[in-house]
Amino acid sequence: MEQNNFSFKKYAWQQFKKNKSALISLYILVGLVFIALFAPIIANDQPLYCKYKGETFYPAFSTLVNSSKVDSVMNDAGVVEQLQFDITDWRKLDLESVVWAPIPYSPDKGDRYNREYVSPLDEQRYKNSDNEIVAIPSRLRHVMGTDKIGRDLASGLVHGTRISLLVGVLAMGIASIIGVFLGALAGFFGDRNLLMPRAKYIFTLIGVFLAFFYGFGVRKYTLANAFSEGNGLIELFISFLIIVAILVGLRLLSRLFKFGWLGKEVSVPIDTYISRGIEILNSIPRLILIITISAIFVRSIWLIMVIIGLTSWTGIARFTRAEFLRIRELEYIQAAKSLGYSNFRAVAKHALPNALAPVFVSIAFGVASAILIESSLSFLGIGVPDDVVTWGSLLNLGRQEFEAWWLVMFPGFAIFITITIYNLIGEGLRDALDPRLKS
Amino acid sequence: MLKYIAKRVLIFIPTLLAISLLAFILNISAPADPVEKLSNTADKEGAANQQSNASKKTKQDLRKKLGLDLPIFYFSFGSLSDCDTLYKVADKDHAATLSELSHYYGNWEDVSAYFHQLSNVQTSHSSLDLEEIFMMNTDIDSNPLYSKNEINDVITQSNFEVNAMMETANPSVLESKFNSLDELYSNYSFLSVVKNEFDLAKVSYEKMLSQKSSWKSYVPQIIWYGSKNQYHFWLFGDGKLRKGLVRGDFGYSYIDSQPINTKIWSKVWISFSFSILSVLFAYIISIPLGIYSAYKKDSKFDRISSIVVFVLYSMPGFFIGVLLLYTFANPDTLRWFPISGIQDPTLFNPDWSFWEKTAHRAPFFILPLITYTYSSFAFLSRIMRVGVIDVFGQDYIRTARAKGLGEGKVVMKHALRNSLLPIITVFANIFPLAIGGSVIIETIFTIPGMGFEIYNSILNSDYPMIVAVFTIVGFLTMIGYLVADVLYAVVDPRISYK
Amino acid sequence: MIMYNKILTFIISLVLLSSCVENRDLSKNTVVAHILSNPDGLHPYNDNSVMRSFIFEHTQKTLVKLDLKTLEYIPSLAKSLPEISEDGLLYHYELRDDVRWDDGSELTAKDIEFTVKLQICPLTDNANVRGNYSSVIKDIILYPENPKKFTMVAFGKNVTNPSIFSEVYVQQKSHWDPEGVLNDLTFKDIHSPNFKEKKEWSDWFNAFNHGDNRYQPERLVGLGPYQISDWETGSYIIAKKKENWWGDNDTLIYNQNYPEEIIFKIIADESSVFLSLKSQGLDATNRVGTSKLFKLQKHDYFNDNYHSAFLDQYSYYYAGLNMRPDGIKRKEFFTDVKVRRAMAHLVPVDEIIEVLLHGQGSRQVAQLSNLKKNYNDTLKLIELDVDKAMQLLDEAGWVDTDNDNVRDKMVNGEKLQLSFELSYMSSAASKETALMIKESMWRAGVEVKPNPMDFSLFYKNAQEHDFDMMLGGWGGSASYSNPYQLWHTSSWANKGSNFCGFGDAFSDSLIDVANAAIDPEEHRDAIWQLQAKIYEDQPYVFMYSPKRKIAIHKRFENADMYFEKPGFVLHNFLLKDSYKNQTPMP
């Protein structure tokens, strides 16, 4: 009688948990998300808590809220001392008690005494309160070394997690949704199986042209102005709504014309449209698209994620299409069709889990490659603004000085962890969702 | 099947047309202007040769020579308010302003008249002479009314403002500029010759505002240009220098006037060799690796090989390339391979036979080849592995095993066949990659391949080269996909395209 | 499986065995010089890459040239420097008697006339430099009684007129135009604003401008001692010494040619150059990385085999401030000279030199490099001084009124924060510079937003004055550079190179005087005053001039190093006897 309470989701989760490596990977992913969220607490050159001249401060937390916080204390001589939290050198102050962040460095401040690519294994220097240069106390060591200007690498990695995770997930998210959807359509329906009345077909074609005209053509200048003012995404969304509205409207309109020659059912060669579209898109070198777009729009991470996503979906679509070509001939799909399930349900419920195996691998690698693409983009000066730290920008630092192996090893290791866990989670998901592996 | 292939080949032509047209459109939409680049010298580091300049006329002539003063295609799709001679405007920014103005106000004739009048205001500045004005405003006792600095400042300011007005379509900005210039002209009487033109400009502006018919920008319109357009000349030649794509001529590069055919041909064999060798190398290693990993799933071999392959993938190309150099081309460590290039200038003899040349070049190719290939092992082997695992779980495999067929036969016959689909998909990409290449690897090892060439042409707005690359890559992509689709049907007979 | 392993081992061993890297034969009289990238062609007029003049030094000749030691102009193909008329408009030249083309014929003034016609004709593909010549040379007058004499007629009096021919590479009329197609092309035609092209001219120029004349070695002819024999695109260019060259017995040092062959090897990557120097694969380079050269100099084997040095040179980098913003797109941050001076006090130049260049760079106070003889050394460098900057900003009215640590001021009725964009062409070095500037300025309550972009966009914005502060640089040479293009006020309104909007009538007149003054005292005085004015007005924060890094193999004598680019004279390199008889190392 358990069948009545059987939930596929719960079952899948149970299966997933059985896969040890997938589970560990999931935990690591959660850990990474944690690091991303709490980066300013984990790596900061301001103390988390300190007591100075009788007053307590929580500088790391205060600057989270107000980045230019200034406070003042009265010292013994009665003189007021101004402390601007993000500029003050807290180590120089005579603090009564202090709790430092686990990594006591901010990613954007250069440590003057450890410039010129200091290795994590080298001697590191430090200027103590008596103004002497001594060996660095182990609490303040740069555990992953520094770059040319003296910026701490560990801190950079921590702060870069946020963007690198986002880039990977968002870019691949967009690519997957578009890719799987279009690939499934193309593979499953091919050129002969998607039927619709001729009127609807013609109206849809006209509709596409009109939709783009009114959604983008006419709104060209409104969109450009909106992007430079910051509310670009809203205007883009409105354009999107207009396009959908026109398409839907015209398709509904076509119902009035369902007679005679216009009413005949024709097959829409959707595979040709999608495959040719993929071919055209693939002929464009990504670089040229990005240079063109980035010249028009303001630099921002969101733009880069969208661009990487929009140029990466074709691979996923191709895989999905190939799998669907194979699957649609399989018996159980034919069976589902004959049972009267509509085409869409047949696809979604039965075909998709089978088709997903190579897609998951694609996605897992796609995340890592999105991070690497972001790295070469920032090398070219497109992408995240220069004062934002990402794993990709750290890799670029390693480009200039080969002997600074730590600048490539550690971010490379971070990327390695990312691919591995995504791959394992992907595999775990696939195994969990595959009905044939039911035990 | 033959029918299917024939149909596909027929569709090549419209698709190629679309791809090359897209290339033209992207080129023109890119912000950079090749005419500006060719008329200005500037070293890539941002330091520019101090002596470069080129007059307006030179730029116009250059534009004509490059064939950029023509419309892009036989027709264009726009709104009723769009002008049909916009392509003739020489300055890209002016063209953008005109287009925006006509979009707001709808009436092209008034917009054009207003703009024309503004350029009259601009040219009227050339008749202003500093010395003359200074003299005229100095009274008999040699007391100048205005200092030379002041006069110069005012003239420069006016010139700048007018120029700025020609590059903006923002109504409030234009209003404020009109007002401030009005004030300027009324304060300084020596600017009267400019003021006259300026007043006329104001009149045109008012006219443009009053005759506003912005409804026109909501009505779609197709504008016909006829056969005198850039695409036509690219395809069929212009009767002068270019013979057109139909006769196999891709045109001449903007950067160095070399025929594109020569440029590509001299480099494509290098990229092609790398691609083929790299693919061969990758497949020879990845496929057996993937199969074996799936066969021994979760064993030590599987785990270790997965880790190795992932580590390789995470290492960026520039790092591995330089690492290989420092290890294998370094007199201090191992000196097995040469450092850069594809042949040694002191030893190479152009009269050698093909085999002698290949033997000489072989060591130069090894390190770059490894750098090119190492990251593909991961993806390919994982795909293979996942495909084979998938198949192993199928019922018919169990049946085959139960029937007593040997392990090897089971794997090779059934599993391979059914998991080949993703491999074929990846394989199809080898065709377009033949003309690609990696800028990074080519820079590190100084390989004169297509990667750097393409990158360079994008940075320098070398339109003919960009269009040629698009077209060739497009063509190869289509062939690749056709081959892939045919192979799908061959490998899995259940797949049909009917 | 076993079969598979066998195949793999076989391939790997093949690979290993096939590679034997031989050491270079150092007894050969061949100079291997390093260049960074492939020149975009070696057409005598139509190309402008940096490598061009480096290679042309060996294959082409000009009428006059810059002496690298004295930094004065000396005659090369001409007998002597030109005689100048009173009004400064006529320049009389006479050619040497012993100059011969490759086919044996003599050099005559007709060749010069032909060369100049091509240099300034609108039909030649050299739009980017044509203006420099067509605005100076009005006409060439020939003398039938003396085929070696000619006179250049200039448009105006200018101190650069006598040396205008220093970059004009002389071409042979009978080689390029044997049928005299261009005989009826006159200077009047060329200068006429309604230049009408005849069909014969267009056809001739189409052939002349064709890419083959840029790349085919047999077409790259000139009067120099070497002839290009081989060009592998992207890999190397080989130049072989001519036999029986006309200047073989000349005593002038620039006509002493010792190497049999010069190979210009293209190496694009710093690490590869480093390794090549280690394995003695290069004889001369002026493009090795600073830190790499330091590393090499630590090793005995390098110092035993190479001379190396860090030499000053003429180019410099600066941070430009927009002095005349339009108030709408770009706000009025830097209209007050006090604010600009404060910026100069806030840019940590010495630190930047220390970090980016390992200290191998020098500073200058104004637009002239301190190597030049007209450098105004009465002006003092502006040092990093945060307190002084804060004081200046206070005086200029920029105070932090709303306690957010960014200064602000009421401008045109609106509150404006001192928070602006620092635009630059994206590269690793610029990025570091920008971040260091940002950190330094924050101490004084100035917020800097780094804004990198690709080169074409950057240059476009600079010309259209669409920037607040920008990082840029200018190349330079020992010869006089005309300040008009960079510092004249008309260069600002007309989208020239005066990006920041510097200048007024006074500075314009200084520029005019400097250009027209034939008298060196007058000229020097005007240049001094111009430097002082630029120093006062502070349109640029002058940052640094990086040093050139040169390494030359010790197997050559005459390996002198110079300030002027490229830094050495390859064809002077004389192979030492001790190397001539060496057997190559195993």
Side-chain angles (χ1 to χ4, degrees), chain C residues 26 39 89 179 220 298 480 482 497 525 553 573:
Chain C
L26 292 176
L89 295 178
E179 285 147 37
L220 303 171
K298 289 204 185 103
Y480 170 68
N482 187 341
S497 302
D525 193 53
H553 201 286
F573 287 2

Side-chain angles (χ1 to χ4, degrees), chain A residues 68 70 84 86-87 110 112 115-116 148-149 151 299 379-381 386-387 393 397 400-401 403, chain C residues 291-292 295 351 355-356 358 404-405 424 426 428 431-432 435-436 438-439 442-443 450 452-453 457:
Chain A
S68 328
V70 181
Q84 186 177 339
D86 55 350
I87 295 184
R112 196 163 294 221
R115 281 196 177 141
E116 248 357 277
K148 193 172 192 165
I149 314 188
R151 286 172 294 193
R299 286 182 79 163
F379 183 66
L380 292 172
D386 265 3
D387 42 0
S393 68
L397 292 176
Q400 297 164 256
E401 182 68 30
E403 317 235 318
Chain C
S291 55
K292 299 279 189 312
K295 265 192 219 127
E351 201 180 314
V355 171
L356 284 185
H358 304 260
D404 61 353
N405 271 308
Y424 53 95
S426 77
K431 178 176 165 177
E432 316 258 320
L435 291 176
M436 282 197 273
K438 174 180 160 145
E439 201 186 322
W442 182 240
R443 278 182 247 271
M453 56 191 80
L457 193 58

Side-chain angles (χ1 to χ4, degrees), chain C residues 314-552:
Chain C
Y314 295 94
S315 64
Y316 66 91
Y317 289 90
Y318 63 90
L321 304 166
N322 193 346
M323 288 167 65
R324 295 190 201 228
D326 61 355
I328 302 164
K329 243 184 177 176
R330 295 288 163 190
K331 304 291 180 191
E332 279 139 12
F333 298 112
F334 304 117
T335 42
D336 185 338
V337 65
K338 288 209 173 92
V339 178
R340 300 198 291 270
R341 187 53 121 231
M343 295 296 119
H345 279 295
L346 285 174
V347 174
V349 182
D350 289 322
E351 201 180 314
I352 293 175
I353 295 181
E354 195 50 53
V355 171
L356 284 185
L357 304 173
H358 304 260
Q360 299 301 324
S362 51
R363 294 184 63 171
Q364 56 196 63
V365 291
Q367 84 279 21
L368 286 197
S369 157
N370 60 8
L371 294 172
K372 292 209 174 170
K373 60 180 193 293
N374 285 336
Y375 181 71
N376 185 339
D377 48 14
T378 61
L379 305 169
K380 296 279 163 271
L381 291 174
I382 300 183
E383 298 301 341
L384 177 67
D385 190 340
V386 180
D387 294 320
K388 186 108 206 302
M390 295 209 277
Q391 185 194 348
L392 283 168
L393 287 172
D394 287 335
E395 283 172 27
W398 291 92
V399 194
D400 182 17
T401 53
D402 49 8
N403 261 325
D404 61 353
N405 271 308
V406 178
R407 291 173 184 263
D408 42 80
K409 184 178 178 185
M410 294 298 281
V411 172
N412 292 341
E414 266 182 49
K415 186 167 91 163
L416 183 61
Q417 294 219 307
L418 195 51
S419 157
F420 53 83
E421 283 184 350
L422 172 55
S423 311
Y424 53 95
M425 203 196 71
S426 77
S427 78
S430 311
K431 178 176 165 177
E432 316 258 320
T433 312
L435 291 176
M436 282 197 273
I437 294 179
K438 174 180 160 145
E439 201 186 322
S440 176
M441 295 222 175
W442 182 240
R443 278 182 247 271
V446 179
E447 189 181 22
V448 172
K449 297 184 282 212
N451 184 19
M453 56 191 80
D454 77 287
F455 176 67
S456 45
L457 193 58
F458 170 72
Y459 202 65
K460 177 167 175 275
N461 287 343
Q463 283 180 312
E464 298 182 359
H465 318 302
D466 188 3
F467 64 92
D468 295 319
M469 185 172 174
M470 61 172 259
L471 294 181
W474 294 112
S477 87
S479 53
Y480 170 68
S481 64
N482 187 341
Y484 186 91
Q485 189 62 13
L486 258 64
W487 307 105
H488 199 273
T489 54
S490 57
S491 259
W492 175 73
N494 297 330
K495 289 202 198 175
S497 302
N498 183 352
F499 303 139
C500 299
F502 163 82
D504 55 17
F506 176 57
S507 60
D508 285 350
S509 67
L510 284 176
I511 295 177
D512 292 332
V513 167
N515 280 338
I518 307 284
D519 172 29
E521 275 303 315
E522 211 187 322
H523 173 84
R524 175 189 159 92
D525 193 53
I527 293 286
W528 268 60
Q529 287 190 54
L530 185 61
Q531 286 179 76
K533 177 126 174 69
I534 291 177
Y535 180 82
E536 291 290 319
D537 277 2
Q538 198 88 59
Y540 288 178
V541 175
F542 290 92
M543 293 203 292
Y544 56 87
S545 167
K547 290 198 189 192
R548 189 176 284 130
K549 285 82 64 178
I550 300 185
I552 303 179

Side-chain angles (χ1 to χ4, degrees), chain B residues 31-32 36-54 57-58 62 65 91 93 130 148-149 152-153 156-157 159-160 163 167 173 176-177 241 252 255-259 267 284-285 288 292 322 325-326 329-332 335-340 342-348 350 362-363 366 443-444 446 448 456 459, chain C residues 1 4 8 15-16 18-19 21-23 28 32 40 48 50 123 125 127-132 193 206 209-211 214-215 230 232-236 238 263 265-269 271-272 274-276 278-279 292 301 317 324 326 328 425 455-457 459-460 463-465 472-475 481-482 485-486 489 492-495 503-506 508:
Chain B
E36 290 291 325
K37 280 230 175 65
L38 286 172
S39 351
N40 284 319
T41 348
D43 189 317
K44 292 197 178 70
E45 284 300 315
N49 185 327
Q50 296 189 17
Q51 307 296 341
S52 71
N53 62 6
K57 176 148 199 317
T58 323
L62 195 53
K65 187 169 187 168
D91 194 314
D93 296 316
L130 180 63
K148 276 194 184 168
N149 276 347
N152 194 340
D153 250 357
T156 318
Q157 190 64 28
N159 209 347
F160 179 62
N163 276 345
E167 293 185 5
V173 170
S176 73
K177 285 215 192 287
L241 265 183
Y252 292 84
I255 302 179
D256 55 9
S257 306
Q258 244 194 336
K267 306 211 162 152
I284 289 181
I285 297 203
Y292 201 63
V322 181
L325 270 184
Y326 271 89
N330 192 339
D332 288 343
R335 217 176 144 201
W336 288 353
F337 298 105
I339 300 171
S340 69
I342 50 169
Q343 55 205 40
D344 187 334
T346 53
L347 300 172
F348 187 76
I366 307 285
T443 310
I444 296 180
T446 312
N456 205 23
L459 284 189
Chain C
M1 243 330 125
Y4 176 73
L8 213 54
V15 156
L16 288 182
S18 74
S19 56
V21 182
E22 294 155 8
N23 272 326
K28 267 173 128 183
V32 178
D40 284 331
N48 232 297
V50 185
L123 294 174
D125 264 347
N128 45 6
V129 288
R130 191 188 309 141
N132 298 336
N206 279 339
N209 288 328
H210 191 271
R214 289 198 193 209
Y215 289 104
D230 225 317
E232 289 290 333
T233 317
S235 295
Y236 54 81
I238 303 186
I263 301 181
K265 194 163 178 197
I266 300 174
I267 304 183
D269 181 64
S271 308
S272 303
F274 174 67
L275 289 172
S276 296
K278 259 201 193 177
S279 51
K292 299 279 189 312
Y301 65 71
Y317 289 90
R324 295 190 201 228
D326 61 355
I328 302 164
M425 203 196 71
F455 176 67
S456 45
L457 193 58
Y459 202 65
K460 177 167 175 275
Q463 283 180 312
E464 298 182 359
H465 318 302
W474 294 112
S481 64
N482 187 341
Q485 189 62 13
L486 258 64
T489 54
W492 175 73
N494 297 330
K495 289 202 198 175
D504 55 17
F506 176 57
D508 285 350

